[in-house]
mmCIF file with all atom_site columns, all heavy atoms in Angstrom:
data_model
loop_
_atom_site.group_PDB
_atom_site.id
_atom_site.type_symbol
_atom_site.label_atom_id
_atom_site.label_alt_id
_atom_site.label_comp_id
_atom_site.label_asym_id
_atom_site.label_entity_id
_atom_site.label_seq_id
_atom_site.pdbx_PDB_ins_code
_atom_site.Cartn_x
_atom_site.Cartn_y
_atom_site.Cartn_z
_atom_site.occupancy
_atom_site.B_iso_or_equiv
_atom_site.pdbx_formal_charge
_atom_site.auth_seq_id
_atom_site.auth_comp_id
_atom_site.auth_asym_id
_atom_site.auth_atom_id
_atom_site.pdbx_PDB_model_num
ATOM 1   N N   . ALA A 1 371 ? 0.570   19.006 36.597 1.00 98.00 ? 371 ALA A N   1
ATOM 2   C CA  . ALA A 1 371 ? -0.784  19.527 36.998 1.00 98.00 ? 371 ALA A CA  1
ATOM 3   C C   . ALA A 1 371 ? -1.609  18.369 37.611 1.00 98.00 ? 371 ALA A C   1
ATOM 4   O O   . ALA A 1 371 ? -1.257  17.151 37.332 1.00 98.00 ? 371 ALA A O   1
ATOM 5   C CB  . ALA A 1 371 ? -1.475  20.025 35.732 1.00 98.00 ? 371 ALA A CB  1
ATOM 6   N N   . ASP A 1 372 ? -2.616  18.689 38.303 1.00 98.00 ? 372 ASP A N   1
ATOM 7   C CA  . ASP A 1 372 ? -3.569  17.763 38.791 1.00 98.00 ? 372 ASP A CA  1
ATOM 8   C C   . ASP A 1 372 ? -4.705  17.607 37.819 1.00 98.00 ? 372 ASP A C   1
ATOM 9   O O   . ASP A 1 372 ? -5.157  16.548 37.482 1.00 98.00 ? 372 ASP A O   1
ATOM 10  C CB  . ASP A 1 372 ? -4.134  18.270 40.091 1.00 98.00 ? 372 ASP A CB  1
ATOM 11  C CG  . ASP A 1 372 ? -3.172  18.164 41.219 1.00 98.00 ? 372 ASP A CG  1
ATOM 12  O OD1 . ASP A 1 372 ? -2.607  17.172 41.521 1.00 98.00 ? 372 ASP A OD1 1
ATOM 13  O OD2 . ASP A 1 372 ? -2.908  19.252 41.867 1.00 98.00 ? 372 ASP A OD2 1
ATOM 14  N N   . ALA A 1 373 ? -5.088  18.682 37.163 1.00 98.00 ? 373 ALA A N   1
ATOM 15  C CA  . ALA A 1 373 ? -6.205  18.659 36.162 1.00 98.00 ? 373 ALA A CA  1
ATOM 16  C C   . ALA A 1 373 ? -5.921  19.540 34.936 1.00 98.00 ? 373 ALA A C   1
ATOM 17  O O   . ALA A 1 373 ? -5.175  20.576 35.151 1.00 98.00 ? 373 ALA A O   1
ATOM 18  C CB  . ALA A 1 373 ? -7.444  19.064 36.959 1.00 98.00 ? 373 ALA A CB  1
ATOM 19  N N   . MET A 1 374 ? -6.371  19.076 33.785 1.00 98.00 ? 374 MET A N   1
ATOM 20  C CA  . MET A 1 374 ? -6.156  19.831 32.532 1.00 98.00 ? 374 MET A CA  1
ATOM 21  C C   . MET A 1 374 ? -7.486  20.291 32.049 1.00 98.00 ? 374 MET A C   1
ATOM 22  O O   . MET A 1 374 ? -8.471  19.612 31.845 1.00 98.00 ? 374 MET A O   1
ATOM 23  C CB  . MET A 1 374 ? -5.560  18.811 31.525 1.00 98.00 ? 374 MET A CB  1
ATOM 24  C CG  . MET A 1 374 ? -5.585  19.262 30.112 1.00 98.00 ? 374 MET A CG  1
ATOM 25  S SD  . MET A 1 374 ? -4.438  20.572 29.682 1.00 98.00 ? 374 MET A SD  1
ATOM 26  C CE  . MET A 1 374 ? -2.853  19.743 29.913 1.00 98.00 ? 374 MET A CE  1
ATOM 27  N N   . LEU A 1 375 ? -7.623  21.587 31.875 1.00 98.00 ? 375 LEU A N   1
ATOM 28  C CA  . LEU A 1 375 ? -8.904  22.205 31.395 1.00 98.00 ? 375 LEU A CA  1
ATOM 29  C C   . LEU A 1 375 ? -9.033  22.326 29.896 1.00 98.00 ? 375 LEU A C   1
ATOM 30  O O   . LEU A 1 375 ? -8.096  22.917 29.264 1.00 98.00 ? 375 LEU A O   1
ATOM 31  C CB  . LEU A 1 375 ? -9.000  23.591 32.029 1.00 98.00 ? 375 LEU A CB  1
ATOM 32  C CG  . LEU A 1 375 ? -8.999  23.670 33.544 1.00 98.00 ? 375 LEU A CG  1
ATOM 33  C CD1 . LEU A 1 375 ? -8.939  25.178 34.005 1.00 98.00 ? 375 LEU A CD1 1
ATOM 34  C CD2 . LEU A 1 375 ? -10.272 23.023 34.084 1.00 98.00 ? 375 LEU A CD2 1
ATOM 35  N N   . VAL A 1 376 ? -9.989  21.694 29.335 1.00 98.00 ? 376 VAL A N   1
ATOM 36  C CA  . VAL A 1 376 ? -10.222 21.780 27.847 1.00 98.00 ? 376 VAL A CA  1
ATOM 37  C C   . VAL A 1 376 ? -11.708 22.165 27.644 1.00 98.00 ? 376 VAL A C   1
ATOM 38  O O   . VAL A 1 376 ? -12.362 21.223 27.252 1.00 98.00 ? 376 VAL A O   1
ATOM 39  C CB  . VAL A 1 376 ? -9.781  20.549 27.115 1.00 98.00 ? 376 VAL A CB  1
ATOM 40  C CG1 . VAL A 1 376 ? -9.712  20.920 25.612 1.00 98.00 ? 376 VAL A CG1 1
ATOM 41  C CG2 . VAL A 1 376 ? -8.482  19.977 27.632 1.00 98.00 ? 376 VAL A CG2 1
ATOM 42  N N   . PRO A 1 377 ? -12.137 23.393 27.775 1.00 98.00 ? 377 PRO A N   1
ATOM 43  C CA  . PRO A 1 377 ? -13.534 23.699 27.858 1.00 98.00 ? 377 PRO A CA  1
ATOM 44  C C   . PRO A 1 377 ? -14.049 24.108 26.454 1.00 98.00 ? 377 PRO A C   1
ATOM 45  O O   . PRO A 1 377 ? -14.759 25.205 26.341 1.00 98.00 ? 377 PRO A O   1
ATOM 46  C CB  . PRO A 1 377 ? -13.651 24.815 28.840 1.00 98.00 ? 377 PRO A CB  1
ATOM 47  C CG  . PRO A 1 377 ? -12.316 25.560 28.848 1.00 98.00 ? 377 PRO A CG  1
ATOM 48  C CD  . PRO A 1 377 ? -11.243 24.415 28.414 1.00 98.00 ? 377 PRO A CD  1
ATOM 49  N N   . SER A 1 378 ? -13.562 23.566 25.414 1.00 98.00 ? 378 SER A N   1
ATOM 50  C CA  . SER A 1 378 ? -13.716 24.028 24.048 1.00 98.00 ? 378 SER A CA  1
ATOM 51  C C   . SER A 1 378 ? -15.155 24.172 23.627 1.00 98.00 ? 378 SER A C   1
ATOM 52  O O   . SER A 1 378 ? -16.015 23.327 24.057 1.00 98.00 ? 378 SER A O   1
ATOM 53  C CB  . SER A 1 378 ? -13.081 23.039 23.024 1.00 98.00 ? 378 SER A CB  1
ATOM 54  O OG  . SER A 1 378 ? -11.744 22.835 23.467 1.00 98.00 ? 378 SER A OG  1
ATOM 55  N N   . ARG A 1 379 ? -15.432 25.206 22.836 1.00 98.00 ? 379 ARG A N   1
ATOM 56  C CA  . ARG A 1 379 ? -16.711 25.334 22.212 1.00 98.00 ? 379 ARG A CA  1
ATOM 57  C C   . ARG A 1 379 ? -16.918 24.285 21.036 1.00 98.00 ? 379 ARG A C   1
ATOM 58  O O   . ARG A 1 379 ? -18.056 23.776 20.858 1.00 98.00 ? 379 ARG A O   1
ATOM 59  C CB  . ARG A 1 379 ? -16.884 26.726 21.583 1.00 98.00 ? 379 ARG A CB  1
ATOM 60  C CG  . ARG A 1 379 ? -16.896 27.773 22.691 1.00 98.00 ? 379 ARG A CG  1
ATOM 61  C CD  . ARG A 1 379 ? -17.439 29.167 22.171 1.00 98.00 ? 379 ARG A CD  1
ATOM 62  N NE  . ARG A 1 379 ? -17.829 29.897 23.427 1.00 98.00 ? 379 ARG A NE  1
ATOM 63  C CZ  . ARG A 1 379 ? -16.987 30.600 24.203 1.00 98.00 ? 379 ARG A CZ  1
ATOM 64  N NH1 . ARG A 1 379 ? -15.635 30.496 23.875 1.00 98.00 ? 379 ARG A NH1 1
ATOM 65  N NH2 . ARG A 1 379 ? -17.342 31.217 25.239 1.00 98.00 ? 379 ARG A NH2 1
ATOM 66  N N   . PHE A 1 380 ? -15.890 24.015 20.408 1.00 98.00 ? 380 PHE A N   1
ATOM 67  C CA  . PHE A 1 380 ? -15.917 22.859 19.529 1.00 98.00 ? 380 PHE A CA  1
ATOM 68  C C   . PHE A 1 380 ? -14.486 22.252 19.502 1.00 98.00 ? 380 PHE A C   1
ATOM 69  O O   . PHE A 1 380 ? -13.544 22.998 19.760 1.00 98.00 ? 380 PHE A O   1
ATOM 70  C CB  . PHE A 1 380 ? -16.327 23.205 18.050 1.00 98.00 ? 380 PHE A CB  1
ATOM 71  C CG  . PHE A 1 380 ? -15.411 24.151 17.315 1.00 98.00 ? 380 PHE A CG  1
ATOM 72  C CD1 . PHE A 1 380 ? -14.409 23.660 16.442 1.00 98.00 ? 380 PHE A CD1 1
ATOM 73  C CD2 . PHE A 1 380 ? -15.554 25.497 17.444 1.00 98.00 ? 380 PHE A CD2 1
ATOM 74  C CE1 . PHE A 1 380 ? -13.568 24.521 15.786 1.00 98.00 ? 380 PHE A CE1 1
ATOM 75  C CE2 . PHE A 1 380 ? -14.598 26.399 16.767 1.00 98.00 ? 380 PHE A CE2 1
ATOM 76  C CZ  . PHE A 1 380 ? -13.687 25.856 15.997 1.00 98.00 ? 380 PHE A CZ  1
ATOM 77  N N   . GLU A 1 381 ? -14.257 21.032 19.296 1.00 98.00 ? 381 GLU A N   1
ATOM 78  C CA  . GLU A 1 381 ? -12.976 20.367 19.310 1.00 98.00 ? 381 GLU A CA  1
ATOM 79  C C   . GLU A 1 381 ? -12.955 19.166 18.376 1.00 98.00 ? 381 GLU A C   1
ATOM 80  O O   . GLU A 1 381 ? -13.509 18.114 18.750 1.00 98.00 ? 381 GLU A O   1
ATOM 81  C CB  . GLU A 1 381 ? -12.608 20.042 20.780 1.00 98.00 ? 381 GLU A CB  1
ATOM 82  C CG  . GLU A 1 381 ? -11.161 19.751 20.994 1.00 98.00 ? 381 GLU A CG  1
ATOM 83  C CD  . GLU A 1 381 ? -10.307 20.999 20.571 1.00 98.00 ? 381 GLU A CD  1
ATOM 84  O OE1 . GLU A 1 381 ? -10.299 21.865 21.432 1.00 98.00 ? 381 GLU A OE1 1
ATOM 85  O OE2 . GLU A 1 381 ? -9.667  20.962 19.587 1.00 98.00 ? 381 GLU A OE2 1
ATOM 86  N N   . PRO A 1 382 ? -12.333 19.320 17.213 1.00 98.00 ? 382 PRO A N   1
ATOM 87  C CA  . PRO A 1 382 ? -12.371 18.153 16.289 1.00 98.00 ? 382 PRO A CA  1
ATOM 88  C C   . PRO A 1 382 ? -11.852 16.881 16.886 1.00 98.00 ? 382 PRO A C   1
ATOM 89  O O   . PRO A 1 382 ? -12.444 15.835 16.798 1.00 98.00 ? 382 PRO A O   1
ATOM 90  C CB  . PRO A 1 382 ? -11.454 18.663 15.142 1.00 98.00 ? 382 PRO A CB  1
ATOM 91  C CG  . PRO A 1 382 ? -11.666 20.229 15.175 1.00 98.00 ? 382 PRO A CG  1
ATOM 92  C CD  . PRO A 1 382 ? -11.859 20.603 16.640 1.00 98.00 ? 382 PRO A CD  1
ATOM 93  N N   . CYS A 1 383 ? -10.666 16.955 17.523 1.00 98.00 ? 383 CYS A N   1
ATOM 94  C CA  . CYS A 1 383 ? -10.286 15.798 18.398 1.00 98.00 ? 383 CYS A CA  1
ATOM 95  C C   . CYS A 1 383 ? -9.760  16.340 19.758 1.00 98.00 ? 383 CYS A C   1
ATOM 96  O O   . CYS A 1 383 ? -10.342 16.137 20.799 1.00 98.00 ? 383 CYS A O   1
ATOM 97  C CB  . CYS A 1 383 ? -9.182  15.049 17.686 1.00 98.00 ? 383 CYS A CB  1
ATOM 98  S SG  . CYS A 1 383 ? -8.511  13.639 18.761 1.00 98.00 ? 383 CYS A SG  1
ATOM 99  N N   . GLY A 1 384 ? -8.691  17.095 19.737 1.00 98.00 ? 384 GLY A N   1
ATOM 100 C CA  . GLY A 1 384 ? -8.029  17.620 20.897 1.00 98.00 ? 384 GLY A CA  1
ATOM 101 C C   . GLY A 1 384 ? -6.952  16.654 21.330 1.00 98.00 ? 384 GLY A C   1
ATOM 102 O O   . GLY A 1 384 ? -7.218  15.340 21.319 1.00 98.00 ? 384 GLY A O   1
ATOM 103 N N   . LEU A 1 385 ? -5.865  17.092 21.594 1.00 98.00 ? 385 LEU A N   1
ATOM 104 C CA  . LEU A 1 385 ? -4.801  16.163 21.865 1.00 98.00 ? 385 LEU A CA  1
ATOM 105 C C   . LEU A 1 385 ? -4.281  16.422 23.412 1.00 98.00 ? 385 LEU A C   1
ATOM 106 O O   . LEU A 1 385 ? -3.880  15.483 24.081 1.00 98.00 ? 385 LEU A O   1
ATOM 107 C CB  . LEU A 1 385 ? -3.598  16.375 21.050 1.00 98.00 ? 385 LEU A CB  1
ATOM 108 C CG  . LEU A 1 385 ? -3.806  15.990 19.644 1.00 98.00 ? 385 LEU A CG  1
ATOM 109 C CD1 . LEU A 1 385 ? -2.626  16.364 18.752 1.00 98.00 ? 385 LEU A CD1 1
ATOM 110 C CD2 . LEU A 1 385 ? -4.035  14.442 19.551 1.00 98.00 ? 385 LEU A CD2 1
ATOM 111 N N   . THR A 1 386 ? -4.523  17.594 23.940 1.00 98.00 ? 386 THR A N   1
ATOM 112 C CA  . THR A 1 386 ? -3.954  17.894 25.227 1.00 98.00 ? 386 THR A CA  1
ATOM 113 C C   . THR A 1 386 ? -4.627  16.991 26.332 1.00 98.00 ? 386 THR A C   1
ATOM 114 O O   . THR A 1 386 ? -4.140  16.652 27.325 1.00 98.00 ? 386 THR A O   1
ATOM 115 C CB  . THR A 1 386 ? -4.119  19.316 25.649 1.00 98.00 ? 386 THR A CB  1
ATOM 116 O OG1 . THR A 1 386 ? -5.324  19.846 25.538 1.00 98.00 ? 386 THR A OG1 1
ATOM 117 C CG2 . THR A 1 386 ? -3.110  20.083 24.784 1.00 98.00 ? 386 THR A CG2 1
ATOM 118 N N   . GLN A 1 387 ? -6.036  16.697 26.101 1.00 98.00 ? 387 GLN A N   1
ATOM 119 C CA  . GLN A 1 387 ? -6.637  15.844 27.137 1.00 98.00 ? 387 GLN A CA  1
ATOM 120 C C   . GLN A 1 387 ? -6.197  14.412 26.967 1.00 98.00 ? 387 GLN A C   1
ATOM 121 O O   . GLN A 1 387 ? -6.095  13.704 28.055 1.00 98.00 ? 387 GLN A O   1
ATOM 122 C CB  . GLN A 1 387 ? -8.214  15.842 26.922 1.00 98.00 ? 387 GLN A CB  1
ATOM 123 C CG  . GLN A 1 387 ? -8.763  14.934 25.856 1.00 98.00 ? 387 GLN A CG  1
ATOM 124 C CD  . GLN A 1 387 ? -8.567  15.540 24.400 1.00 98.00 ? 387 GLN A CD  1
ATOM 125 O OE1 . GLN A 1 387 ? -7.945  16.412 24.149 1.00 98.00 ? 387 GLN A OE1 1
ATOM 126 N NE2 . GLN A 1 387 ? -9.196  14.880 23.427 1.00 98.00 ? 387 GLN A NE2 1
ATOM 127 N N   . LEU A 1 388 ? -5.684  14.038 25.807 1.00 98.00 ? 388 LEU A N   1
ATOM 128 C CA  . LEU A 1 388 ? -5.128  12.656 25.636 1.00 98.00 ? 388 LEU A CA  1
ATOM 129 C C   . LEU A 1 388 ? -3.802  12.611 26.423 1.00 98.00 ? 388 LEU A C   1
ATOM 130 O O   . LEU A 1 388 ? -3.355  11.675 27.076 1.00 98.00 ? 388 LEU A O   1
ATOM 131 C CB  . LEU A 1 388 ? -4.929  12.293 24.228 1.00 98.00 ? 388 LEU A CB  1
ATOM 132 C CG  . LEU A 1 388 ? -6.185  12.212 23.403 1.00 98.00 ? 388 LEU A CG  1
ATOM 133 C CD1 . LEU A 1 388 ? -5.985  11.809 21.984 1.00 98.00 ? 388 LEU A CD1 1
ATOM 134 C CD2 . LEU A 1 388 ? -7.186  11.226 24.007 1.00 98.00 ? 388 LEU A CD2 1
ATOM 135 N N   . TYR A 1 389 ? -2.876  13.673 26.164 1.00 98.00 ? 389 TYR A N   1
ATOM 136 C CA  . TYR A 1 389 ? -1.599  13.745 26.809 1.00 98.00 ? 389 TYR A CA  1
ATOM 137 C C   . TYR A 1 389 ? -1.848  13.837 28.346 1.00 98.00 ? 389 TYR A C   1
ATOM 138 O O   . TYR A 1 389 ? -1.186  13.047 29.137 1.00 98.00 ? 389 TYR A O   1
ATOM 139 C CB  . TYR A 1 389 ? -0.787  14.955 26.404 1.00 98.00 ? 389 TYR A CB  1
ATOM 140 C CG  . TYR A 1 389 ? -0.604  15.143 24.932 1.00 98.00 ? 389 TYR A CG  1
ATOM 141 C CD1 . TYR A 1 389 ? -0.409  16.330 24.336 1.00 98.00 ? 389 TYR A CD1 1
ATOM 142 C CD2 . TYR A 1 389 ? -0.593  13.988 24.157 1.00 98.00 ? 389 TYR A CD2 1
ATOM 143 C CE1 . TYR A 1 389 ? -0.228  16.417 22.920 1.00 98.00 ? 389 TYR A CE1 1
ATOM 144 C CE2 . TYR A 1 389 ? -0.334  13.975 22.778 1.00 98.00 ? 389 TYR A CE2 1
ATOM 145 C CZ  . TYR A 1 389 ? -0.102  15.199 22.146 1.00 98.00 ? 389 TYR A CZ  1
ATOM 146 O OH  . TYR A 1 389 ? 0.086   15.298 20.810 1.00 98.00 ? 389 TYR A OH  1
ATOM 147 N N   . ALA A 1 390 ? -2.893  14.471 28.754 1.00 98.00 ? 390 ALA A N   1
ATOM 148 C CA  . ALA A 1 390 ? -3.166  14.598 30.250 1.00 98.00 ? 390 ALA A CA  1
ATOM 149 C C   . ALA A 1 390 ? -3.381  13.175 30.783 1.00 98.00 ? 390 ALA A C   1
ATOM 150 O O   . ALA A 1 390 ? -2.947  12.781 31.838 1.00 98.00 ? 390 ALA A O   1
ATOM 151 C CB  . ALA A 1 390 ? -4.252  15.565 30.506 1.00 98.00 ? 390 ALA A CB  1
ATOM 152 N N   . LEU A 1 391 ? -4.302  12.527 30.142 1.00 98.00 ? 391 LEU A N   1
ATOM 153 C CA  . LEU A 1 391 ? -4.714  11.050 30.582 1.00 98.00 ? 391 LEU A CA  1
ATOM 154 C C   . LEU A 1 391 ? -3.522  10.265 30.819 1.00 98.00 ? 391 LEU A C   1
ATOM 155 O O   . LEU A 1 391 ? -3.351  9.623  31.818 1.00 98.00 ? 391 LEU A O   1
ATOM 156 C CB  . LEU A 1 391 ? -5.673  10.491 29.606 1.00 98.00 ? 391 LEU A CB  1
ATOM 157 C CG  . LEU A 1 391 ? -7.125  10.988 29.557 1.00 98.00 ? 391 LEU A CG  1
ATOM 158 C CD1 . LEU A 1 391 ? -7.780  10.494 28.315 1.00 98.00 ? 391 LEU A CD1 1
ATOM 159 C CD2 . LEU A 1 391 ? -7.832  10.631 30.799 1.00 98.00 ? 391 LEU A CD2 1
ATOM 160 N N   . ARG A 1 392 ? -2.610  10.310 29.879 1.00 98.00 ? 392 ARG A N   1
ATOM 161 C CA  . ARG A 1 392 ? -1.355  9.538  29.964 1.00 98.00 ? 392 ARG A CA  1
ATOM 162 C C   . ARG A 1 392 ? -0.468  9.918  31.166 1.00 98.00 ? 392 ARG A C   1
ATOM 163 O O   . ARG A 1 392 ? 0.270   9.103  31.708 1.00 98.00 ? 392 ARG A O   1
ATOM 164 C CB  . ARG A 1 392 ? -0.522  9.773  28.706 1.00 98.00 ? 392 ARG A CB  1
ATOM 165 C CG  . ARG A 1 392 ? -0.651  8.582  27.856 1.00 98.00 ? 392 ARG A CG  1
ATOM 166 C CD  . ARG A 1 392 ? 0.435   8.430  26.890 1.00 98.00 ? 392 ARG A CD  1
ATOM 167 N NE  . ARG A 1 392 ? 0.934   7.030  27.145 1.00 98.00 ? 392 ARG A NE  1
ATOM 168 C CZ  . ARG A 1 392 ? 1.906   6.561  26.294 1.00 98.00 ? 392 ARG A CZ  1
ATOM 169 N NH1 . ARG A 1 392 ? 2.288   7.217  25.239 1.00 98.00 ? 392 ARG A NH1 1
ATOM 170 N NH2 . ARG A 1 392 ? 2.332   5.340  26.466 1.00 98.00 ? 392 ARG A NH2 1
ATOM 171 N N   . TYR A 1 393 ? -0.584  11.184 31.640 1.00 98.00 ? 393 TYR A N   1
ATOM 172 C CA  . TYR A 1 393 ? 0.272   11.752 32.643 1.00 98.00 ? 393 TYR A CA  1
ATOM 173 C C   . TYR A 1 393 ? -0.425  11.708 33.975 1.00 98.00 ? 393 TYR A C   1
ATOM 174 O O   . TYR A 1 393 ? -0.020  12.441 34.875 1.00 98.00 ? 393 TYR A O   1
ATOM 175 C CB  . TYR A 1 393 ? 0.824   13.064 32.235 1.00 98.00 ? 393 TYR A CB  1
ATOM 176 C CG  . TYR A 1 393 ? 1.937   12.979 31.218 1.00 98.00 ? 393 TYR A CG  1
ATOM 177 C CD1 . TYR A 1 393 ? 1.762   12.681 29.979 1.00 98.00 ? 393 TYR A CD1 1
ATOM 178 C CD2 . TYR A 1 393 ? 3.245   13.398 31.622 1.00 98.00 ? 393 TYR A CD2 1
ATOM 179 C CE1 . TYR A 1 393 ? 2.773   12.537 29.018 1.00 98.00 ? 393 TYR A CE1 1
ATOM 180 C CE2 . TYR A 1 393 ? 4.400   13.431 30.698 1.00 98.00 ? 393 TYR A CE2 1
ATOM 181 C CZ  . TYR A 1 393 ? 4.021   12.894 29.453 1.00 98.00 ? 393 TYR A CZ  1
ATOM 182 O OH  . TYR A 1 393 ? 5.051   13.079 28.543 1.00 98.00 ? 393 TYR A OH  1
ATOM 183 N N   . GLY A 1 394 ? -1.586  11.082 34.079 1.00 98.00 ? 394 GLY A N   1
ATOM 184 C CA  . GLY A 1 394 ? -2.265  11.011 35.313 1.00 98.00 ? 394 GLY A CA  1
ATOM 185 C C   . GLY A 1 394 ? -2.801  12.405 35.711 1.00 98.00 ? 394 GLY A C   1
ATOM 186 O O   . GLY A 1 394 ? -3.138  12.683 36.956 1.00 98.00 ? 394 GLY A O   1
ATOM 187 N N   . THR A 1 395 ? -3.102  13.227 34.743 1.00 99.00 ? 395 THR A N   1
ATOM 188 C CA  . THR A 1 395 ? -3.613  14.587 34.895 1.00 99.00 ? 395 THR A CA  1
ATOM 189 C C   . THR A 1 395 ? -5.177  14.462 34.508 1.00 99.00 ? 395 THR A C   1
ATOM 190 O O   . THR A 1 395 ? -5.304  14.104 33.321 1.00 99.00 ? 395 THR A O   1
ATOM 191 C CB  . THR A 1 395 ? -2.859  15.622 34.146 1.00 99.00 ? 395 THR A CB  1
ATOM 192 O OG1 . THR A 1 395 ? -1.485  15.570 34.624 1.00 99.00 ? 395 THR A OG1 1
ATOM 193 C CG2 . THR A 1 395 ? -3.393  17.069 34.294 1.00 99.00 ? 395 THR A CG2 1
#
Side-chain angles (χ1 to χ4, degrees):
D372 293 302
M374 166 71 70
L375 299 169
V376 196
S378 307
R379 292 197 162 76
F380 65 94
E381 196 60 75
C383 177
L385 293 172
T386 58
Q387 84 281 8
L388 299 181
Y389 301 153
L391 286 167
R392 254 202 125 175
Y393 282 68
T395 299

